[in-house]
Amino acid sequence: MNDKKSSFKNELKIISPIAVGIAIAAFAAMLILFAVLPKGPHDLPPFPGWFLLGLLAGLMLSAWVLLIGYINSDAARRGMGRVLWTFIAALVPNCLGILAYFLVRKPILRPCPGCGLEISPDFRFCPKCGFSLAPSCTHCGRRIEHDYVCCPYCGKMVGATGQAPVVPNHG
Ligand SMILES: [Zn+2]
Ligand SMILES: [Zn+2]
């Protein structure tokens, strides 16, 4: 894994604008609700903390909406049931659906360099075109790169013995 650097900010970018819109609306709704509530028919005593409570409720609700929005986009790029996981995250109480998602989520799919098929990063060969995704040294078995001629671990030549040849893909 050399892309661990993908920051929190970048992760947030995958949330669809629709989910962001719903989160903002939910935040505003909570603020309005808590501003109106004390003046309602219940005749609640005036409490200066109503606004803060509304703020807190709004923040929690919009964070929850954003999390579901994140799962909705994230499940798609991991080849998981997008609709199913969105429903689980939204409907299972106490955020257990959201928790379950983060426990079981699969690694992000990547396009195969050979044919562009979205495949799991733990695959060693592309199931469609046979591209060797994680070539290893035929002598010592350690992972090498495609363009290595000589294994950096055991020093044996690997270019000629070769791994599964790169199948040229003429579209
Ligand atoms: Zn492929
Ligand atoms: Zn080697």
Side-chain angles (χ1 to χ4, degrees), residues 137 139-140 151 154:
C137 170
H139 303 281
C140 69
C151 171
C154 68

Side-chain angles (χ1 to χ4, degrees), residues 136-144 150-156 158:
S136 55
C137 170
T138 42
H139 303 281
C140 69
R142 295 179 81 163
R143 189 177 170 156
I144 55 170
C150 163
C151 171
Y153 303 104
C154 68
K156 299 261 170 60
V158 287

Side-chain angles (χ1 to χ4, degrees), residues 22-43:
I22 297 171
I24 292 168
F27 183 72
M30 277 294 131
L31 276 188
I32 293 164
L33 183 73
F34 274 78
V36 170
L37 206 61
K39 301 177 193 91
H42 314 292
D43 214 15

Side-chain angles (χ1 to χ4, degrees), residues 64 87-99:
W64 181 75
F87 272 106
I88 291 174
L91 299 179
V92 177
N94 299 327
C95 294
L96 286 178
I98 294 171
L99 195 72

Side-chain angles (χ1 to χ4, degrees), residues 112 114-117 126 128-129 131:
C112 163
C115 68
L117 179 75
C126 171
K128 191 175 161 198
C129 71
F131 189 90

